[in-house]
Amino acid sequence: MDSEISDELPSEYFSIIPSSERMDNRPNHTIYINNLNEKIKKDELKKSLYAIFSQFGQILDIVAMKTLKMRGQAFVIFKEVNSASNALRSMQGFPFYDKPMRIGYTKKDSDIIAKMKGTFVERPKKKKEEEHEIRKKKKGQHMQANAPLAQPVVQPVPNVPAGSQPAGGTVAPPLSTPAPIPEQPPNQILFLTNLPEETNEMMLSMLFNQFPGFKEVRLVPGRHDIAFVEFDTEVQSAAAKDALQGFKITPTTAMKISFAKK
């Protein structure tokens, strides 16, 4: 895998990926995660990884690619090695988007850490990478040279029923949508809805305990789809609500968060 060059992944990461037989490298600032759900969009995946890993310490960067060679894999780079170690121990096997995460330390420091330590050495550009870029450039030039001329786009005329068009020739605006239900006033207790069946107290605690003031998660007996999360103050609960609104515990279920009724 070290010799393969992705279209998007910086070449530095191919030298730090651990082999499948060696997930026991010595502690490192960077952890390598695989067995991730490949259907998740890149931006959403990085946001979700940040939400669950930032509780362990400051994150310098998260690298996740959707290219064929890097699907289902990601790197999380922590500022401190202890943070990476705690994250690896705590999240090993954690059910993330319906799949247990497999986590290991990378073989070498990423460039961002090497620069912090003063050990960074510029890598010579690999011959295979140069050849890949040349082929990519030629392919782009070929496609541009053979691109068909753009055809004018004809906009379809809307089918307006007779008698519905007012004077002046303009189409009547659509009926207004109903006003949204007003939000409950701020409360230190949050009300979670639209939770998937596999949700448990540990999963929700890991998501919310990264925010200051977190107290506890309370599940509702006989209901898997709702839960309550309590904080010390309304300001702290509001911060957690804004940060995790719409967070997807599974690929098809987005969590909804509101203030609980007082």
Side-chain angles (χ1 to χ4, degrees):
M1 198 169 183
D2 292 18
S3 62
E4 296 176 336
I5 301 297
S6 165
D7 288 342
E8 300 177 47
L9 188 70
S11 60
E12 61 163 297
Y13 287 97
F14 284 99
S15 65
I16 65 176
I17 297 174
S19 65
S20 58
E21 294 80 17
R22 290 193 59 199
M23 296 295 284
D24 57 346
N25 294 302
R26 62 184 179 86
N28 194 292
H29 293 263
T30 305
I31 58 174
Y32 167 71
I33 310 166
N34 65 8
N35 199 43
L36 297 174
N37 194 313
E38 298 179 6
K39 297 179 181 179
I40 310 304
K41 292 182 179 179
K42 182 176 71 172
D43 291 342
E44 181 181 336
L45 177 63
K46 292 175 71 173
K47 179 181 177 181
S48 299
L49 288 172
Y50 184 86
I52 63 173
F53 280 105
S54 58
Q55 61 182 299
F56 300 103
Q58 183 179 348
I59 294 175
L60 299 179
D61 195 14
I62 294 178
V63 178
M65 296 295 170
K66 298 299 290 182
T67 55
L68 182 61
K69 298 182 183 71
M70 290 304 299
R71 287 177 185 170
Q73 303 166 70
F75 298 88
V76 180
I77 307 171
F78 289 93
K79 185 175 182 180
E80 304 292 338
V81 174
N82 287 342
S83 300
S85 298
N86 291 334
L88 184 149
R89 287 193 299 267
S90 300
M91 302 303 288
Q92 188 72 264
F94 181 78
F96 185 66
Y97 288 111
D98 296 330
K99 298 184 70 174
M101 290 190 290
R102 293 202 296 264
I103 310 174
Y105 296 111
T106 56
K107 293 190 294 185
K108 300 179 182 178
D109 286 334
S110 61
D111 284 358
I112 190 171
I113 296 297
K115 289 175 182 178
M116 285 176 55
K117 292 181 177 180
T119 59
F120 175 72
V121 177
E122 190 74 34
R123 296 178 181 82
K125 203 167 188 179
K126 295 182 180 180
K127 183 178 180 181
K128 187 172 181 179
E129 185 178 0
E130 292 174 346
E131 293 173 352
H132 173 80
E133 291 186 354
I134 293 173
R135 288 196 301 269
K136 187 176 178 181
K137 185 176 181 180
K138 287 182 178 180
K139 182 178 179 181
Q141 292 173 344
H142 177 76
M143 292 178 65
Q144 185 176 4
N146 292 278
L149 296 176
Q151 298 296 323
V153 178
V154 179
Q155 297 291 340
V157 179
N159 185 15
V160 182
S164 64
Q165 185 171 339
T170 58
V171 179
L175 296 176
S176 59
T177 56
I181 300 174
E183 173 69 272
Q184 294 292 330
N187 190 342
Q188 68 267 30
I189 300 177
L190 300 176
F191 179 49
L192 314 183
T193 59
N194 202 40
L195 299 175
E197 187 173 356
E198 56 268 38
T199 303
N200 57 46
E201 185 176 340
M202 181 191 73
M203 294 168 66
L204 293 177
S205 295
M206 283 190 171
L207 284 176
F208 284 93
N209 70 5
Q210 62 184 299
F211 297 97
F214 170 79
K215 292 181 68 176
E216 64 174 344
V217 170
R218 296 197 293 271
L219 302 181
V220 179
R223 292 287 301 273
H224 71 268
D225 58 329
I226 60 176
F228 294 91
V229 181
E230 185 174 356
F231 285 83
D232 287 330
T233 68
E234 296 173 355
V235 173
Q236 292 167 336
S237 66
K241 172 179 174 291
D242 293 341
L244 292 178
Q245 186 69 266
F247 179 84
K248 290 186 177 181
I249 297 178
T250 67
T252 57
T253 309
M255 178 170 59
K256 296 180 181 178
I257 311 175
S258 60
F259 294 114
K261 292 182 181 180
K262 289 190 175 181

